[in-house]
Amino acid sequence: MAENPQKSLTEGAVPGDRKESQRLGSSEPIPFLTIHSLILGVLVSMGGFIFGFDTGQISGIVAMKDFLERFGNSDSSFSNAREGTIVALLSIGTLVGALLSAVVADALGRKLSMTVWCGVFCVGVIIQISAETVWQQVAVGRLVAGLGVGALSVLVPMYQSESGPRHIRGALVSAYQLFITFGIFLAYVVNYGTESMQSSASWRIPIGLSFLWALILAVGMIFLPESPRYAYRHGRVDEAAQTMSKLYGVPVHHRAIRRELREIKEQLDSERTGPWYEVFTGPRMAYRTLLGITLQALQQLTGANFFFYYGTTVFQAIGLSNSYITQMILGGINFGMTFFGLYVVEHYGRRRALIAGALWMFMCFMVFASVGHFILQSMATDTPKAHTAGIVMIVFAALFIAGYAVTWGPIVWCIVGELYPSRYRAKSMALATSSNWTWNFLISFFTPFITSAIDYRYGYIFAAGCFAGALVVYFFVCEGSGKTLEEIDRMYLSHVKPRHSTKWEPAEDKEAEAAS
């Protein structure tokens, strides 16, 4: 276990006279947002931007003329196996990167780890843009880049959840998803701008720009502090307190800082060292680890990446003359609506938003799949009825993406980031996120085969996934809005019923309320 931290700050001892410490501890208001919290939220979320840009670019790149001529079959087209491999190998890399990230994060710290994994991602980008005619090189480049993307998908929410003030923690972690959507949207715009080029620049420019985003994050992390909870666990108590003071925007001896440090200390004192499998055998950890794995799988089974990976191909099949434009519209909706998600996660709570969002997406996919199979698939695409059906499908695809962007897109990352106690967080988040990438791979690889066999009925599978998501959240997820990470841990340890968790308050808050 980490060395025992000093006691001075955690036990509330403060320099100077008692009257002054009481003044700072009781009357100083906490700002809603500080410049330090804003910079942390924006800069660290570049890890999500990297993920989103890579996700968005590939759907357009595999349809570009020069890319098809260089890496396609002899007739300048992709077989399902080749296209699925190029698209999906990123997900294999992300799966491995997510699992490896826990070891690196615990050894090097959250901050330095992100810089290291940005370097790995850049190597993958170089491998891709240097490819000439060997499609396997592009696939391997995506595999290597995926290592970096997967690790960042664990480290970014982890760093944000461990660092963010509790009253805006949900919004900070959700900013990761906001930047994913921004990356997807910008990739669509770049693809639209380069797809008409008749040279390799049409696909090398979008891929090469990924290098720039990773560089921004790698350099920016040099100027950010270490996660206060990681610093505390390694005996750097004053560093943790100073970091929390800057992020909260209050003096280091403010009662909110003292209280949170005390909770961190109590949790650390109650922990003992043990093997890695304690993520399943630790106190209430099997429940939480499996819940995180399930939530991340269900985020993929909502079907969002069906549109993000293969949207260009889908809308071409509907009969659109320029499917890149439709992709930009859907990407813009995804990005714009995620801003509402930042509001919803703090003002309406995690549970209500996820349940409502899952039912909304269930309805959208039922309509999309039914219209696609029973109307569009049964007639030629150049008929008026088919045109109307295509418009209906695009509308419900847009409504689906709006619901996803407000709820399941950002909030699942938020819940997984706050679900585990500090000691298990890195390993449990790695397992949960690897579940996301496993399903990401399965969907991205097998989608061409499945749609060839059952056409738009594929949407019914995602509709079922959305409905299952509503049930899982209702019966198993506790509400974390407005609570510290340590209070959330206490809820799960106390077996608070999820449907009653919204009204749960820690004992000390009830005592303070009664005393007043």
Side-chain angles (χ1 to χ4, degrees):
M1 189 169 73
E3 60 183 278
N4 234 357
Q6 306 166 19
K7 291 186 175 182
S8 60
L9 289 170
T10 62
E11 294 183 352
V14 282
D17 61 79
R18 183 178 179 82
K19 189 174 182 180
E20 176 67 7
S21 70
Q22 288 176 339
R23 185 186 73 80
L24 292 174
S26 60
S27 63
E28 190 93 9
I30 299 176
F32 177 74
L33 181 67
T34 67
I35 186 64
H36 294 93
S37 294
L38 179 62
I39 292 173
L40 182 146
V42 171
L43 183 57
V44 178
S45 293
M46 282 300 297
F49 186 90
I50 293 167
F51 168 28
F53 193 82
D54 204 278
T55 298
Q57 70 180 214
I58 195 61
S59 66
I61 285 175
V62 294
M64 291 179 180
K65 182 180 178 182
D66 186 82
F67 193 82
L68 286 167
E69 290 175 349
R70 287 172 180 267
F71 305 112
N73 299 321
S74 56
D75 60 349
S76 296
S77 67
F78 280 126
S79 64
N80 287 338
R82 186 172 298 190
E83 181 178 6
T85 301
I86 291 174
V87 172
L89 266 186
L90 177 87
S91 301
I92 294 295
T94 54
L95 170 61
V96 177
L99 292 172
L100 292 176
S101 65
V103 178
V104 180
D106 284 341
L108 301 181
R110 289 31 169 163
K111 172 182 169 177
L112 181 57
S113 295
M114 280 190 263
T115 300
V116 170
W117 288 109
C118 282
V120 174
F121 175 80
C122 288
V123 172
V125 171
I126 292 171
I127 294 173
Q128 291 177 73
I129 60 176
S130 62
E132 290 293 340
T133 57
V134 181
W135 71 269
Q136 291 91 340
Q137 182 176 339
V138 177
V140 170
R142 285 180 59 77
L143 177 69
V144 175
L147 294 172
V149 173
L152 290 173
S153 70
V154 175
L155 293 168
V156 170
M158 183 192 305
Y159 180 86
Q160 290 171 323
S161 65
E162 288 186 347
S163 304
R166 66 173 176 172
H167 60 284
I168 59 168
R169 186 182 63 247
L172 277 181
V173 179
S174 297
Y176 172 70
Q177 176 67 23
L178 174 66
F179 272 68
I180 291 176
T181 63
F182 183 33
I184 291 172
F185 173 66
L186 188 60
Y188 291 160
V189 173
V190 173
N191 281 349
Y192 177 70
T194 64
E195 58 99 10
S196 60
M197 296 179 179
Q198 301 302 309
S199 67
S200 64
S202 61
W203 55 272
R204 281 197 168 109
I205 289 174
I207 294 175
L209 281 173
S210 301
F211 196 96
L212 175 61
W213 318 137
L215 187 64
I216 291 173
L217 176 59
V219 173
M221 287 309 301
I222 297 173
F223 302 97
L224 289 182
E226 181 55 87
S227 149
R229 283 172 171 81
Y230 181 88
Y232 191 103
R233 290 179 62 83
H234 288 76
R236 292 150 29 204
V237 182
D238 290 336
E239 177 188 336
Q242 290 294 337
T243 299
M244 294 174 69
S245 172
K246 290 178 181 178
L247 293 173
Y248 270 94
V250 295
V252 72
H253 296 297
H254 189 279
R255 61 179 179 177
I257 306 295
R258 293 208 310 262
R259 173 187 174 183
E260 202 154 330
L261 286 171
R262 183 172 63 249
E263 290 175 349
I264 296 171
K265 179 181 184 297
E266 289 170 356
Q267 186 178 71
L268 180 60
D269 288 345
S270 68
E271 294 175 354
R272 55 185 176 81
T273 57
W276 66 269
Y277 54 77
E278 277 199 339
V279 296
F280 293 103
T281 61
R284 208 83 203 284
M285 283 307 299
Y287 180 101
R288 286 184 276 181
T289 299
L290 292 174
L291 178 59
I293 289 171
T294 302
L295 287 173
Q296 288 283 27
L298 287 169
Q299 190 197 51
Q300 287 296 319
L301 288 170
T302 60
N305 278 343
F306 170 67
F307 295 111
F308 298 144
Y309 281 131
Y310 293 103
T312 304
T313 305
V314 170
F315 296 125
Q316 281 177 346
I318 289 174
L320 294 173
S321 57
N322 193 330
S323 54
Y324 287 91
I325 294 178
T326 305
Q327 279 287 79
M328 281 198 300
I329 294 172
L330 295 182
I333 293 170
N334 188 30
F335 175 49
M337 293 302 295
T338 305
F339 282 99
F340 290 98
L342 304 186
Y343 178 84
V344 166
V345 69
E346 295 296 358
H347 292 80
Y348 292 95
R350 284 68 155 149
R351 280 173 51 82
R352 251 188 298 183
L354 287 178
I355 293 169
L359 295 176
W360 173 265
M361 293 186 295
F362 166 78
M363 179 272 296
C364 291
F365 247 123
M366 288 297 292
V367 175
F368 182 90
S370 299
V371 172
H373 175 68
F374 292 107
I375 300 178
L376 187 67
Q377 196 67 23
S378 62
M379 61 185 63
T381 57
D382 56 352
T383 63
K385 195 172 182 180
H387 179 71
T388 302
I391 291 174
V392 170
M393 292 176 71
I394 292 172
V395 168
F396 276 90
L399 291 173
F400 167 87
I401 288 174
Y404 176 83
V406 173
T407 58
W408 277 77
I411 298 177
V412 167
W413 294 106
C414 173
I415 288 180
V416 171
E418 62 191 19
L419 193 57
Y420 312 108
S422 295
R423 179 181 168 198
Y424 308 106
R425 186 170 294 123
K427 296 180 179 66
S428 294
M429 284 189 68
L431 287 173
T433 308
S434 66
S435 167
N436 185 298
W437 291 116
T438 298
W439 284 98
N440 188 305
F441 165 74
L442 293 173
I443 291 169
S444 58
F445 183 80
F446 288 107
T447 286
F449 300 97
I450 296 173
T451 53
S452 296
I454 62 173
D455 60 73
Y456 295 102
R457 284 174 292 181
Y458 192 24
Y460 293 132
I461 297 174
F462 296 128
C466 293
F467 193 79
L471 296 177
V472 167
V473 173
Y474 180 80
F475 287 109
F476 300 106
V477 175
C478 288
E479 181 58 63
S481 179
K483 300 176 178 67
T484 66
L485 297 181
E486 289 69 32
E487 288 170 351
I488 294 171
D489 179 47
R490 210 177 311 163
M491 272 199 301
Y492 283 101
L493 291 176
S494 302
H495 293 262
V496 173
K497 292 186 181 299
R499 61 181 180 274
H500 299 151
S501 60
T502 302
K503 298 179 180 179
W504 181 87
E505 294 180 8
E508 56 265 32
D509 283 2
K510 293 179 181 178
E511 293 170 2
E513 187 177 335
S516 63

